[in-house]
Amino acid sequence: GVSFIEHLARHPTTARRLAHKLAVRFIGAHVQRDDAVVDAAAQVYLTSGTSIRATLRSLLTSDEFAASANRRIRRPLELFASKVRAVANPTWNGAAGREARGGRGGATDGRNQVPHWWPDPDGYPDRDANWVSVGSMIGRWNMATWVIHGGSNLFTTDWTGVRNWTTGTTIGEWFAAACTRLGVTVPAAARDRMLDQLYRTVDSPLTQTGNRWAMERLLVQLLQAPDYQTR
């Protein structure tokens, strides 16, 4: 039995199937089974003794991967994880996280990617079209509000740490630092409108107690930005 499994693991068809699935995951659904990037990864899989690490290195150092930046839609669970990484207190309580499984379900329920709920053995769809619609975008925007305003009991937010994303003293400097941290581009005119709605300008002083409510609302909008839906 072990010999047969090892035979299957080292079969060229297995190598190409795995290489293709990983290429779709990290590069995009447009990648075909006979593309050069898949050929290269499949060959590395076979010559490395079925090493997934080596196979991923082949894909993640390819020109095709570099060209895919900001073109793949983040699936809901990935989107939620990225938001947690962006704002959560770095002191993670693993025990509390295990007890708060409902928080993860709450974050992804309605976005159709509750962990382990896909009924078939092929896993959740890995094509962008499955995750982009009017309803799903509303769900993504709601997720941003839910995370920033403490809807999940998975983590806490250290707002002193959030304020210290910049060493500057103005809300404009903090806004620029937040955009850099989140990988979001906001034109100056749009930034000024966002600040004006909060009775702020780029030169408004950045204080800890007086601007937490403003930082919360700005972060919600940044996490809802089109740039943040992709990776």
Side-chain angles (χ1 to χ4, degrees):
V2 172
S3 176
F4 181 59
I5 291 172
E6 290 179 346
H7 166 73
L8 292 178
R10 290 172 169 78
H11 197 281
T13 302
T14 302
R16 182 167 295 278
R17 175 172 173 77
L18 290 176
H20 180 239
K21 286 181 72 68
L22 289 170
V24 168
R25 181 74 185 94
F26 290 101
I27 298 174
H30 63 279
V31 178
Q32 302 299 309
R33 287 176 61 89
D34 57 354
D35 284 357
V37 68
V38 176
D39 289 340
Q43 188 61 33
V44 168
Y45 173 87
L46 293 172
T47 58
S48 65
T50 72
S51 169
I52 295 298
R53 177 183 294 180
T55 306
L56 283 173
R57 183 180 296 114
S58 174
L59 290 169
L60 300 183
T61 57
S62 67
D63 292 339
E64 290 85 350
F65 176 74
S68 72
N70 299 319
R71 293 186 179 181
R72 287 238 60 188
I73 296 295
R74 285 172 164 155
R75 298 193 296 181
L77 195 57
E78 179 185 358
L79 183 67
F80 175 62
S82 71
K83 292 175 180 179
V84 172
R85 281 195 293 264
V87 303
N89 187 322
T91 302
W92 182 263
N93 186 329
R98 287 189 293 273
E99 292 300 319
R101 291 187 293 271
R104 289 189 293 276
T108 53
D109 189 16
R111 268 66 70 187
N112 299 322
Q113 202 189 10
V114 176
H116 310 300
W117 275 28
W118 188 253
D120 299 324
D122 56 350
Y124 283 100
D126 210 5
R127 297 181 181 277
D128 292 345
N130 291 98
W131 306 106
V132 180
S133 68
V134 173
S136 66
M137 286 308 303
I138 292 173
R140 286 167 176 264
W141 295 336
N142 289 338
M143 183 196 291
T145 303
W146 191 79
V147 167
I148 294 301
H149 292 296
S152 172
N153 55 354
L154 283 167
F155 67 92
T156 59
T157 298
D158 176 7
W159 287 102
T160 299
V162 172
R163 182 262 175 262
N164 291 334
W165 286 355
T166 179
T167 58
T169 59
T170 67
I171 196 76
E173 290 172 301
W174 178 86
F175 187 91
C179 288
T180 298
R181 182 183 180 91
L182 301 176
V184 172
T185 301
V186 178
R191 175 204 62 198
D192 292 344
R193 286 195 299 271
M194 292 164 67
L195 293 175
D196 183 62
Q197 292 173 353
L198 302 174
Y199 311 104
R200 299 289 192 275
T201 70
V202 290
D203 297 322
S204 296
L206 180 62
T207 61
Q208 180 58 45
T209 55
N211 280 301
R212 171 175 167 173
W213 71 277
M215 290 189 294
E216 288 181 353
R217 285 154 181 78
L218 290 170
L219 276 175
V220 168
Q221 294 180 72
L222 292 177
L223 294 178
Q224 292 172 337
D227 293 12
Y228 201 77
Q229 309 310 310
T230 61
R231 60 166 167 82

